[in-house]
Structure formats: C-alpha cells, structure tokens
Amino acid sequence: MTDMEKITAKYDVVIGLEVHIQLKTKAKMFSPAPYKFGAEPNTLIDPIVMGLPGVLPKINEEAVNFAIKLALALGSEIHEVSRFARKHYFYPDLPKGYQITQYEYPYCEGGAIPVEYEDGSVSMVPLVRIHMEEDTGKSMHMEEGVNFSLVDYNRAGAPLLEIVSQPAIHSPQEAVAYLKSLRQVVRHLGICDANMEEGSLRCDANISLKPVGSEILGIRTEIKNLNSFKAVEQALTYEIHRHYDVLEAGDSIVQATMLWDPAAGRTRVMRTKEEAEDYRYFPEPDLPPLVIEPERIERIRRTIPELPHEAKARLIKEYGITRYDAEILVSDALVPFFEEVAGRLDPAPAKKAANWIITEVLRELKNENGSAEDPPVSAEDLALLIDLVEEGKLTGINAKKVFDELAKGSTGAEKTAERLGVLGTVAMADDELEAMCRNIVQESPAQVAKWKKGNHKVMGYFVGQVMRQTKGKAQAQKITALFQRILDE
Amino acid sequence: MAISKDEVRKVARLARLGLTEDELESMAGHMESILEFVAKLSEADTEGVEPTAHVLDLTAELRPDEPHLDGNATEIMKSAPDAGFGFFKVPKVIGGEEI
Amino acid sequence: MNIPALAREIADQVRSGILKASDVTEYYLDKTEKLNPAINAFITIDREGALDRAREIDSMVERGEDPGPLAGVPVGIKDNIATHALRTTCGSRMLEDWVPPYDAHVVRRLRQSGAVIMGKLNMDEFAMGGSGETSFFGPTRNPHSLEHVPGGSSSGSAAAVAAGMVPLALGTDTGGSIRQPAAYTGITGMKPTYGRVSRFGLVAFASSLDQIGPMALDAQDAALLLSVIAGHDDYDSTSIRDSALIYPIDIKEKLRIGIARNMLDSIEHSGVRASMDRAISFFEEHDYEIHDITLPHSEYGVAVYHILATSEASSNLARYDGIKYGHRAKDFSDLQDMYLRTRDEGFGMEVKRRIMLGTYALSAGYYDAYYTRAQKVRTLIRQDFAQAFEKVDVIIAPMTPTPAFRLGELADDPISMYLMDSFAVQANMAGLPALSVPAGYDGSLPVGLQILAPQMKDEYALRVAMDFQEAGQWHHRVPVEVLP
Ligand SMILES: [Mg+2]
Ligand SMILES: [Zn+2]
C-alpha cells in the first residue's frame, strides 16, 4: 500500500460528510408512536408509521425545537418558512414508498461544526445545511442461502436531522474528529444519544481526490452505512488509496455509491450514477409550510448551553483547572454542578472542586447509574466539605466518609461530620502529637529499617498508625512532615 | 411531443409496474395523447406566477411530543401478506438503505 | 310502517321514539339486498354490524339518551374511507381483502352522531375514473337507466342514494367525483371547502385535491350530513380551525349570483343547455342580483388537474408494494420482480395509466415543464375565482357537458372521459366548496346545476341550492328503473 504521505504530496483529499442523528423525542416525527432502541420487533408501530392507506403526517413540535437548538448552537441561519417534500424510492423498510424530508427549502443553512483535536486546537468545518426528516424501518438480512429478509418497522418514522458538511474535511482522521465533535455537541445539547452502535448517529461520506492546489474537484464516490468511527476511518482510507491507484493508472473514477464491507476491509459498488434512483421530489401536499416564528427561536436560544469547546476554554481560563479536568467536566455534563460548587467555595480554590467532582461525584454517579442533573451531594454540602478540609477542620479521609454519608442521603455536611465525630482536627498540642509519632517509630523497628533502606512506601504505615489512634482527626500532611523529620534525624 | 417505448419502459421501471411489451406499446400511445392534450398549458402566461402547492393559507400545526400507541400493532401485522417471528417477511433484500 | 326517505325525518322520528332504528335499518337493508344485484352500488353490505348498531341506538332512546343528529339513519360509505374491522377495498384488487385497523375521522364522527353504517360503496378504482366502470368489483349502474353509467368515481354512493338504498352516503371528490355522479343520478352532492372535512382515513388519490363530502336526496340532508363530518381534526395538518358547519343553515340575505358565462357558452348539449337556461330564469324571476363573470383560465383546468392529480397519485400509490398489506403476487423470482408483478396484478389499467403519467411528470428533466407549470396555472385559476368573488357570493355553472353516457361508451376514449370533468375540476383547483343540485331531465336522465362558493362559504352554496330545489322539485323524482 502506498503510504498516505505520498498520496497527499500529490493530491488534496476532499471529504464531505452526511450525518444522520436520531432525535431523543418521546414520539416520532409525524406520529405519536414512541421509539426505543431494542424493543420487540414491530411493537412500536401504528397506522401512521406504517403508512396505512388513509393516514396523514403531523409534525412533532419537540423535533422542531431540537432542530432549532442544533441550528442555533452551530450558528446556522434558520429560515422562517421551510417545507417538507417527498423523496420516492422502493425499499422494503420504507413504508410509504417515499420518505418525508426537506429538499428545496430546508429549515436551516450554513453554520459550522467546531472540530476539536487531541492537542486542544479547534477548527471550524462549515456546513451546507441541516434538514429534518423521518427514519426508515430496518431490514434484517439473513445468512447465505435463505431467500427472505425480515423487516422491523419500529424505527420507521423516528425523527432525524441530516447534517450535511461542506467538502471541507481533508483526512480520515479529521473526519473522525468531526464526528466525535458533532457527537459531543448533540449530546451536550441533550437532543440525541449519538450512539453509533444503536444507530442514533449514522454517517455517509463522499470523497474525491484532486491534484494539490487545483480548484476543480475530482469525481467523487459516496460511501454508505459507516457504522463506527473505525469504519469511517478505514473506509475513507481504503477509498483514498483506491482513488489514488485509479488516478495514477491514468483512469478516471466512476461516480458511484459504495458500501463498506468491514469483514473484507473494502468498499463495494452499490450502484453507479447511471443506475441512480430518480427520487421525484415534490412538495408534501399533506403538510403546509412550517413557519418557525422568531419568538420560538428566542425562547430556545435561552436554553442553549455553551458549546463544549467554548466551555472548556472558559473553565481553564476562569477557574484555573487543567485541560484534562475541563474535558471530563464537559463530556460528563458536570459543568453546571462544578460552577455551582466552585462559586460557593471560600477559602478553597476551584480546582479542589474539580478534583472532588471528577473523583468522588463521578464515581458515585457511575456506581449508582445516576445523572449529572441530579448529583449525589448538593453543591452547598460539597462546597462546605471542601472548605472544612481547606480550613483544617476536617481531614481528607474523614471528609470522604462524610461525603459517603451525604451520598447515602444524610443532609448537612457539618451536621454529618459532627454526628460521625470527626469534626475538628486533632485537639492534641503539637508536642503531644510529636510524642505519639516518636512512640510509633520506637515500636516499629522493622518499618524504620525499610525507611532507612530507601523504601518510602512505609510512610503510609506510620501515618495510618496515627490515624487509627486519633480516629482520623489528624491532618495527614502535618504528620507526614513530622514523621519525615523524626525518621531523617 | 413523442414519447418512445424505451422512455415508457424506464418510467414503468421507476413506478415498479411490470408491463408487458404490448402494454408498453399501448401505454406509450396513451401517454402521448395525454401529453399532447396537456401541452395546452404552455399557452398560459405564467411569467412571474407563483406555483400553488396548497390552496389554503395554512401553516403547519405542530403536535405536542406526547407518545401514544393505539395498541393495534397486532392487528396491523395481521394484514401482512407474509410474516413470521414478529417480522414482515420479504424476498431477500440486497444492497443498503438510503435515507 | 311508513319509513321516510329523508335522513332528517328518520332522525327526528327515531329520536322521538316514533320509529325504531332497527326497523329503519331492516327496511333499508332489505331494499338494498333486493336492488344491489342490478345496480352493484355496494361492495360490502354489513347487515350484522348495521343491525347491532341500530339496536344500540334503540336502547339509547329507551334509556332517554340522545343518539345524535343522525339517530338511526342508514349511511353508506364510499369504499376509499377507512372503517375499522370493515373491509375497505378502494374498488381495487390491490386492497380486495384489506381490513383497516382504524376508523377514518369522518367515520368516527358518524358513529358518534347515531348513524348506522350499512356498508361500503362501489367506486372507480382508487377514485380514478368518471363512470364507475374501473372498479375491480364491476361497474355500477345508473338507477335512472341501467344502460347508463352513474358517473364516478363515487358511483356507488350516487346510485345508492338515487335508488333509495340509503338516505345518505359519503363520497369523495378530487376532480368532480361527488358532483358529477350526483348530477348523473339526480341527487345532491357536495364537495366542501378543502380542509373543512378531515381527510384522515380517506385513502389518498391526490392529496391536495381530495375532499370527502355528503351525498343526499336534497340540499337540507346534504347540509345535515356535512354538519356532522365538518370541523377541525388534530390528525390532519390541512384541516381548518373553526370549520364546523351549523345545521340548519341560517342565511337570511339574498346572495349575489355570478354566471360563469364562458363555461355556459361552451355547452353543446341541448338538454343541458335547456336546464341551464331554466335555472337562470329561476334566479332572475326570484329577484336575485345576477352578474356575468368569466373564468378565463378555466379552459386549462382539466390539463392542470391531470398533471397534479396523476403526480400526487403516483406518489400516494407507491405504498402498495405487497409487503405490509394488500395484494402480493404469488410467483416471483426476487424482490424487484415481486414489486413489478404485485403492482401489475393489483392495479387496473386506468390506475396504471395515471401512475405512469404522474411518474413521468415528476421525473428528472420533466418536473418543471409539467408539475411546476401546472402549479402556476393553478394559481391563475385561483386568481380568477378570487376576482369573481369580489362582486358575487356564489357562481353557477353547468355540472357536466352532457347527461350520463352509456356503459362502455367512452371506455376506449380516456380523453373524452377526462373532458367530462371540465366544469367540475375548477372547484378542486381552488379548494372551493361546490355542489351539484338536480336541475331537470333530458329524457329519463337527470341534469345537474353546479353552485360554487368562496372558501369556507359552503353555507352559501347550500342556501342557494335550497331555494333552487323548491322551484324544480326535480329532487323528488323517483328513478323508474328501480321501482320495486
Ligand atoms: Mg442525503
Ligand atoms: Zn437523509
């Protein structure tokens, strides 16, 4: 295989992505029937979903709201009047023989996806448009030799947004970064689970090669059904090489729609341009124009959280936390909680709040399958807890015990600490504490010997002894320093 | 306005109508006479005229996002010409979906 | 026992306990079963369901409850309107055995109004046709002359009401399919304002034109049935808010009448011309303010209609693929072959013609020349009406160029058949309410007068029809052919 550098020295890779995201509404796009991934086949169907003779579509309001949300977040221009159209083709999982979609008059155009890279840099990939449409059912293809397929219409009619990028992506890795950023945005907005395995985020890609610096785009192929990030990267890489080989051989690319065969690790022609379907779009007569009033847009604008990359940059700057911490807070939707805790802290610094949330709160959420909107401990209690430690009124270890109690349902950080008898640091005078430490050193010759040999792990043992004798009230930092001094004498 | 048999064949294929050669022939004749008849429309002056997609000045009403199942899924499946394992059965499907 | 012919009289007597709904239903069922072999108006007669419902209504009355404005009135329903658990065929082999799992909005309203659904009425296949001859279940015959067609596509609805098999029927009108057969059979049939009656459950032919409407012996009964089915429906996005119709119609003022002069002048048939002249004299004699109006683009109506209707039909009928319901071919080699054979076998020739034309008109390269152009001319037709309605309240026009033709007479001449709709399609183009009211006879064959009104002024057309029918009394003429 030719390596990619050799290819890109000669050709510009031009990739455009069409991404379908399934919206997390309760009902379907044009019918009240619900959709859930993994339900028993053909149980989430009604006459409308099935396109039974006589039924009519009606637009789901929440799907429109979600669509507006995404358009606002990505800076797309929302059209006050948009229309639905019918796109015709015959396929068993398409109940009506047409899909209701938007064609000439999508609800929005333009905008861009902020694509984040591992090094934290961000580039904007411009969009052509986003439009609303309905999903199809699903055909199960049986193994070789079976002459039928099975169709499940549960998914039919689920609301989709199709997000069409400009051909402004230049490598398979960039394509994956684009998808990951888009996934983060739609999850962050709460409009889509964006789970490629479950099909709530699906990707088609078109790709072409042109001589470096040329203004004219090459002939493109479109790859359908890329069901994982890996598939996206592998299929695009495969197609780039295939295009390269064809072009280098002096042949021209045949414009075609391809399917990615992950088992064989190659693309296959699904149909060529000559065989292309004629979709016979025309305005959907059953749906009058959709009017999105400015009031609705303003109402939704107020509910939009900042975008992930913006949130991260702000957290780092405003609170002095690390990029790593910011990343976790943003991707786990813990920014509002973090800001609330950090805002209440005095005297502890904000980065202490980040530590606590990323370790304790997140662990609790994961164990209990909880949601970030309903944290295990109130922001007020957590902030108080962190401050008590900062002020030396509570040791770190005891603070964790208090946290666990709070997570189990008790209220009031201070009250709980008091009830557990851990409030207040060691009452002993410093010399009393030092005497206790010297005593422990004297009674532990084996551990002292290890220390002298350079095994500094035994410090944990010495500190632990003090903690046991003081019921954890001593400050670990302070006794560590004490032991260090005594042992090094 | 002549319409060839090949063109008619293409349209029949698009519409998934399995017409015989004889039927294609008579269909071509019929389509030709209709197309001649509707060619009259080119006489009308439509300069600057907006097309009418809807006769009413309505805008789309929206349905609140409240899920509801009629509970007639079983009844719907009963109409299937061929079904099994809770699925609609169709002759083997090849190729990919398109949405 | 004396069973009335008019719906409102039946309902009054059932509600007040003078008549039993079950006796009424039995009477009409017997009559229908006797006449149907000759007329073929019904595809499905639901004797059991009708009698069960009639007995329920009787017990409601006994308990002192009001069953509703159509208490005990037998109603026939065109077979392209979905009825839960009652076969709905659209006059097609494709849906020969289809039993809907739901009720159309209008059917639900009928049930709530105390009506007794007697069965499903014959029609041109998927409402495509103007004679009733394209039905998979055989042609319907005109009760006034069994050698003649009853018109279509609501052939069974018109014939059943005219023959007295049911006092009321629902029809559907895409390009005249209620009004033309009403004219041919001497009854009153109305296409309401587009959007006034929910289309939910009406099997779509051409969605932007289709409308369900009442067919009855006279204008009052048509108004009564319309008042039951009209009004907003949450399940139809093209349904108009606040579109209920109050019965009885109460319009005191004299309405101004426009005469569609260019349409009238194009009439060649002497019998139809005579009826029109007589109608105009009636309005003059009754001190109506009359204006001549012109609808200059009406000559394009049929052409526009055929492009739009076939295009939408080709789309609406794409769902019949042999997978979810309906006919599936027995022998096929693969999926594509299954589609081809299923649709070839399931659809009749007229339906296939229209699917072909519509598919062609929407296909790449032709869309603008046909579809977009037709939509633009449609705008011109609407503008003509808007202008005309600035100075008049209703427009009168002929309903059909000739009275009913003979069975088979136009079978090989689709264009002449299409031209029979010249006067009818105008109302569908503009979404207007329009009705046909009996206006005389040519020999034994009825002739209809068409009355059109502005959108949401359905009451105007009904009001003028009520005045007019008093003058002629043609609506009380019983068809000779079917006299028992
Ligand atoms: Mg697409
Ligand atoms: Zn799509």
Side-chain angles (χ1 to χ4, degrees), chain A residues 27 42 59 89 149 151 271 279, chain B residues 60 63 65 86 88 90 93 98:
Chain A
N42 295 304
I59 303 166
Y89 61 91
S149 297
V151 191
R271 63 177 130 69
Y279 294 124
Chain B
R63 170 189 277 132
D65 186 28
F88 290 79
V90 296
V93 175
E98 26 198 306

Side-chain angles (χ1 to χ4, degrees), chain A residues 240-294:
Chain A
I240 291 169
H241 282 95
R242 195 181 66 81
H243 280 223
Y244 176 78
D245 292 344
V246 170
L247 295 173
E248 287 297 293
D251 294 332
S252 52
I253 298 291
V254 177
Q255 187 172 334
T257 304
M258 321 288 289
L259 277 180
W260 172 240
D261 180 345
R266 57 164 300 180
T267 58
R268 296 181 193 283
V269 177
M270 186 172 134
R271 63 177 130 69
T272 61
K273 195 191 174 193
E274 279 66 45
E275 311 162 304
E277 278 278 7
D278 181 341
Y279 294 124
R280 289 161 287 137
Y281 287 98
F282 84 105
E284 167 57 277
D286 290 330
L287 292 172
L290 170 67
V291 173
I292 299 177
E293 322 81 12

Side-chain angles (χ1 to χ4, degrees), chain A residues 204-221:
Chain A
D204 301 338
N206 54 66
I207 174 153
S208 63
L209 261 51
K210 66 177 174 64
V212 168
S214 163
E215 292 291 307
I216 304 148
L217 287 177
I219 296 169
R220 57 176 220 179
T221 54

